[in-house]
Amino acid sequence: MAADLRQPAVEAWFRLRRGDFVLDSTIALPAAGIVGLFGPSGAGKSTLLRCLAGVERAPEGRVSVNGTIWQGDGVFVPPHRRSVGLVFQDAVLFPHMSVRTNLRFGARRLRAGRRRVPEGDVVDLLGLERLLERKPATLSGGEVQRVAIGRALLNEPDLLLLDEPLASLDVARREEILPYLDRLHAELAMPTIFVSHNVEEMRRLADSVAIMAAGRILSHRPTADALAGLGPDADQGSIASLDARFVGSGRVALRGGEAFDVAGSSGPVGGPCRVRIAARDVSLALDRPSRASALAVWPATVEAIARTDCGVVEVSLRCDGGLVHAQIAGSVAAALGLAMQSRVFALIHRATLAAPGDATNRATQRAPTP
């Protein structure tokens, strides 16, 4: 399905300031097809989607969908009245409901007289037939995401927003859901934004790609042009590969460190393994947070600070388990006052098990240059 950027069905621009971060972006979407939204952590991708959905209200902005104003000219349509299907990376289903009931919940708020997407079509499109009577607790991560997407589709949205729907899944679960997203791409005719940090997912699913950094859309071009020259890990920054050991089902620990969860990990307790951590999955704090959504929080010392080619700062950090890297916005680095030998806390948000033979720290094609 080729994207036609000349005749947008959705036009939006927003300006929003949050501390040192400024979202100042304009985007246009065709009536059908998938627009990929691609860029480093902290670029503002999720904030842009939240503004489109009305979940976050930008004080300056305008949104027009199929000729209807959602924001601008003194109008602000609240989130519950916008025809938006929004799916996050950590989909939440109602645990006491069956899959069938969860799906039907998506159609409860349809406006009178609005054409309904046939439930059977969505069930077939996403391969949900054998799951309909099951409860969410019995589903795999990929199955949960398929149900969440189905629920969004049954709300008959004018705009579908997929915010990293595969990011929380291990490799096996991603491969499980990708064929269904392929079908969604081929058969669905509605404007869609797909956010991902994975270059290959973008190449596979997106008709065009908008590159975003530091709150701005830098370009919006056909996928092949937008991603030319990028390898599969180009978005992730440097990737650390650290010695660890298995300490239980799905859990590992670095030398002398606390245990944490690693996607797809399994092995004999006490057995050795290696853990891969991408720079985009690490954030920084000057003080140890009392509560955090991170998998692990490690004391660390800054060993190097470098700026990437898209203005994002990559910080190399020495912790007890080895050298890790964090990819943060330049404004955040300035606000933290980072310098060589600064003492900080590294918040690890995602880690994966390294393939056998992956025994060294390495940098991707977008490694920083001092």
Side-chain angles (χ1 to χ4, degrees):
M1 184 183 298
D4 183 355
L5 304 181
R6 296 169 300 176
Q7 299 181 15
V10 178
E11 297 178 279
W13 71 268
F14 302 104
R15 182 173 174 82
L16 173 149
R17 179 180 292 276
R18 186 189 294 144
D20 289 329
F21 173 78
V22 177
L23 176 72
D24 189 357
S25 289
T26 300
I27 192 167
L29 280 69
I34 296 178
V35 172
L37 190 56
F38 185 80
S41 296
K45 302 183 296 296
S46 294
T47 302
L48 177 60
L49 263 59
R50 290 171 62 83
C51 288
L52 281 165
V55 176
E56 186 148 359
R57 183 168 184 171
E60 300 176 67
R62 180 179 177 84
V63 184
S64 171
V65 179
N66 296 326
T68 300
I69 302 299
W70 286 1
Q71 181 175 346
D73 300 334
V75 173
F76 183 83
V77 177
H80 66 278
R81 291 181 53 206
R82 297 190 184 196
S83 183
V84 173
L86 183 57
V87 180
F88 294 103
Q89 61 177 278
D90 296 312
V92 178
L93 304 180
F94 296 106
H96 61 288
M97 295 182 181
S98 67
V99 166
R100 188 191 302 276
T101 310
N102 267 284
L103 287 171
R104 290 176 176 172
F105 192 86
R108 287 177 55 181
R109 293 184 304 178
L110 282 179
R111 298 191 296 274
R114 187 175 178 87
R115 181 179 64 84
R116 292 177 179 267
V117 176
E119 180 180 310
D121 289 358
V122 172
V123 168
D124 179 65
L125 179 67
L126 295 169
L128 300 175
E129 178 64 39
R130 64 181 182 84
L131 307 178
L132 291 176
E133 306 310 322
R134 290 169 57 180
K135 294 292 180 65
T138 70
L139 304 179
S140 71
E143 290 168 342
V144 167
Q145 288 296 69
R146 282 154 52 196
V147 176
I149 293 169
R151 184 171 62 186
L153 293 179
L154 286 171
N155 198 33
E156 184 68 17
D158 290 324
L159 175 61
L160 181 62
L161 305 175
L162 304 177
D163 192 0
E164 296 195 73
L166 308 182
S168 62
L169 306 179
D170 59 33
V171 173
R173 300 290 80 76
R174 283 201 300 273
E175 290 303 315
E176 168 193 309
I177 194 174
L178 274 168
Y180 296 101
L181 292 180
D182 284 334
R183 293 186 65 187
L184 194 74
H185 178 210
E187 299 182 26
L188 200 63
M190 69 174 59
T192 301
I193 296 181
F194 173 70
V195 176
S196 176
H197 283 98
N198 187 293
V199 177
E200 296 310 310
E201 289 172 7
M202 281 288 169
R203 287 200 172 104
R204 179 168 176 172
L205 296 173
D207 297 291
S208 64
V209 173
I211 303 292
M212 191 170 190
R216 294 178 177 270
I217 301 290
L218 304 181
S219 66
H220 186 183
R221 295 182 291 168
T223 301
D225 296 336
L227 301 180
L230 293 184
D233 290 330
D235 59 296
Q236 301 187 65
S238 297
I239 299 177
S241 182
L242 307 174
D243 287 319
R245 57 186 173 84
F246 294 109
V247 295
S249 177
R251 293 178 68 76
V252 305
L254 302 186
R255 182 178 63 247
E258 297 179 0
F260 58 98
D261 296 325
V262 173
S265 63
S266 63
V269 173
C273 61
R274 292 189 68 81
V275 172
R276 296 173 84 251
I277 300 171
R280 71 171 176 86
D281 293 321
V282 180
S283 59
L284 300 180
L286 295 181
D287 303 302
R288 180 185 287 274
S290 58
R291 296 182 179 180
S293 60
L295 294 176
V297 179
W298 299 336
T301 302
V302 174
E303 286 207 349
I305 302 173
R307 187 172 294 274
T308 71
D309 57 7
C310 61
V312 173
V313 170
E314 185 164 293
V315 184
S316 297
L317 305 152
R318 178 66 60 181
C319 62
D320 286 343
L323 192 66
V324 297
H325 313 276
Q327 203 176 64
I328 60 177
S331 59
V332 174
L336 293 175
L338 295 182
M340 297 294 291
Q341 301 304 307
S342 292
R343 297 290 295 172
V344 297
F345 290 90
L347 282 63
I348 312 301
H349 298 284
R350 186 171 184 267
T352 58
L353 209 59
D358 180 4
T360 59
N361 280 351
R362 70 173 181 84
T364 67
Q365 294 179 28
R366 190 176 285 183
T369 54

